[in-house]
Amino acid sequence: MFVSFGRAVIDLVSEVGYSGVLLWRSILAMRMIPRSVRLILEQMRRIGVESLPLVVMTSVFTGAVAAVQAAYQLMEFVPQIYIATAIYKSVVIELGPVLTSLVVGGRVSASIAAELGTMRVTEQIDAMDAMAIDPVRYLAMPRLVAALIMLPVLTVFADVLAISGGFFVSYASLEISPKTFVDGMKLLFFAHDVFGGLIKAFVFGGLIALMGTAAGFRTVGGAVGVGLSATKAVAASCVLVLIGNYVLAILLFQIIFD
């Protein structure tokens, strides 16, 4: 048991160290962004545009469920106007950035890890090293920049769609008038709530891309190793998004914006 625990600790430290070095090299490679615009735009399409159908479905039903749950818990105790306030607050602060990052992260991190893992086991990345072509600049940095840009964009879509879903459910099922719903959103509207959610999405985007890239670069063992790397990337990105959400909630809403 102690041997297994020690090996797990060593593996964790190794993963954290490798990811930290990869992040630092990717940040240094960002000075080459003007020469990598085509690569970044391609990754923005794959990470953002191709994830949009998943975000649409998730967000609409998230807003609808938020409306039903808010009404179930609050309808008998507070005026209807606060139902809309609860939906708006829960969506822009938590549900929008976190659920979007989880559903997009599962798809994107697995895709990145599988793609780069395949390149690793087929020695394409080794060939780039042999030809003095920096894999971090051409493979890691564009994915990191694209994820940092697209996760906040997808979160904006998710916020709008989730609030729209909550609006229609409130109007159709809960008999909350459109004016009451809009007034409820305005009642406790603070710009820093929206900015806080987008800052979360920005950080989560970086974590998702970093976990996928690190898992792909460290792939060994052929096709089986590629599958394991994809699974590891999804698990790591989801766990880090949840941990990061807790840390950012304290930093943003209890220290910075308080």
Side-chain angles (χ1 to χ4, degrees):
M1 184 179 70
F2 290 106
V3 173
S4 300
F5 179 76
R7 187 177 294 116
V9 171
I10 292 172
D11 290 342
L12 178 61
V13 172
S14 175
E15 293 284 350
V16 172
Y18 184 85
S19 298
V21 172
L22 181 61
L23 175 61
W24 177 245
R25 291 183 61 190
S26 298
I27 292 173
L28 293 179
M30 288 181 183
R31 68 183 186 279
M32 305 302 291
I33 285 178
R35 296 183 181 181
S36 306
V37 172
R38 185 182 60 80
L39 294 173
I40 294 171
L41 290 176
E42 171 62 19
Q43 293 304 319
M44 289 173 65
R45 182 189 65 78
R46 297 173 66 177
I47 294 173
V49 178
E50 294 183 3
S51 297
L52 204 51
L54 187 61
V55 172
V56 170
M57 291 295 296
T58 305
S59 303
V60 170
F61 286 101
T62 296
V65 171
V68 172
Q69 288 294 323
Y72 172 73
Q73 298 180 49
L74 302 175
M75 187 70 88
E76 296 181 358
F77 307 104
V78 300
Q80 287 184 336
I81 192 171
Y82 291 108
I83 303 296
T85 304
I87 295 171
Y88 154 74
K89 286 278 189 180
S90 61
V91 166
V92 299
I93 294 176
E94 286 294 333
L95 298 178
V98 175
L99 286 183
T100 300
S101 299
L102 288 175
V103 297
V104 173
R107 172 187 173 276
V108 170
S109 60
S111 173
I112 292 175
E115 181 183 11
L116 299 186
T118 301
M119 295 180 68
R120 172 64 76 188
V121 298
T122 55
E123 300 182 350
Q124 295 179 59
I125 295 178
D126 296 329
M128 294 178 72
D129 282 326
M131 292 186 290
I133 298 173
D134 184 8
V136 174
R137 182 208 157 183
Y138 284 93
L139 299 176
M141 185 273 286
R143 287 165 174 79
L144 178 62
V145 173
L148 290 173
I149 295 172
M150 293 311 298
L151 259 295
V153 173
L154 290 172
T155 298
V156 171
F157 275 98
D159 288 348
V160 173
L161 291 169
I163 292 173
S164 299
F167 170 83
F168 284 113
V169 169
S170 299
Y171 177 69
S173 302
L174 307 177
E175 299 181 350
I176 297 175
S177 70
K179 182 179 185 306
T180 301
F181 192 92
V182 174
D183 288 344
M185 289 180 56
K186 294 179 180 177
L187 186 62
L188 292 176
F189 176 85
F190 300 112
H192 60 67
D193 290 340
V194 179
F195 289 133
L198 297 181
I199 291 172
K200 284 184 177 182
F202 179 82
V203 175
F204 297 159
L207 292 174
I208 291 166
L210 183 63
M211 291 301 101
T213 306
F217 277 179
R218 287 168 65 88
T219 299
V220 293
V224 175
V226 173
L228 291 174
S229 292
T231 303
K232 184 190 299 181
V234 173
S237 63
C238 290
V239 169
L240 287 179
V241 165
L242 295 175
I243 295 174
N245 183 48
Y246 172 73
V247 175
L248 289 173
I250 294 175
L251 289 176
L252 294 175
F253 299 108
Q254 292 188 6
I255 298 176
I256 297 177
F257 296 147
D258 188 22

